[in-house]
Amino acid sequence: MTLHSDYLELDLVRNLALGREGSRLIMENGTEVTSDIVDVNLTTEVANLINNVEITNFSQESGYTKATADRGIIKIKKKLQNLKEG
């Protein structure tokens, strides 16, 4: 996983990576996740996404898949994604 952001902060005491404004996660399989706010717990590898969440993926079987939501949680180790509106 790679995190890109206009504002990036590491909290080494709490083991968090914080992205604000223009945050983008790129997963190992090529899935791209964008959000206004991204908080990643580096120990548990759980990413909390807030505002304008968009997940884009491409696979040979299904082509492009795009999902949008207001909030989301990605459990990177377990390869799970939860999205919520409102």
Side-chain angles (χ1 to χ4, degrees):
M1 164 191 66
T2 305
L3 174 60
H4 300 275
S5 184
D6 293 341
Y7 173 81
L8 189 60
E9 180 179 329
L10 290 176
D11 184 337
L12 298 177
V13 174
R14 296 187 306 167
N15 213 20
L16 298 174
L18 311 169
R20 304 291 187 264
E21 301 177 24
S23 298
R24 188 175 59 158
L25 280 171
I26 300 174
M27 312 303 280
E28 291 177 11
N29 66 355
T31 300
E32 187 171 310
V33 181
T34 59
S35 179
D36 290 346
I37 299 171
V38 177
D39 294 342
V40 181
N41 183 312
L42 301 173
T43 303
T44 62
E45 292 191 26
V46 173
N48 291 301
L49 313 163
I50 302 170
N51 295 340
N52 300 318
V53 177
E54 187 174 290
I55 299 173
T56 306
N57 187 20
F58 176 79
S59 72
Q60 294 292 348
E61 299 91 33
S62 60
Y64 280 98
T65 303
K66 187 176 193 177
T68 60
D70 293 329
R71 298 176 153 292
I73 297 173
I74 298 178
K75 297 178 181 178
I76 299 160
K77 287 182 181 178
K78 295 182 181 182
K79 298 181 181 177
L80 296 173
Q81 301 172 4
N82 296 322
L83 300 174
K84 294 181 182 179
E85 286 294 325

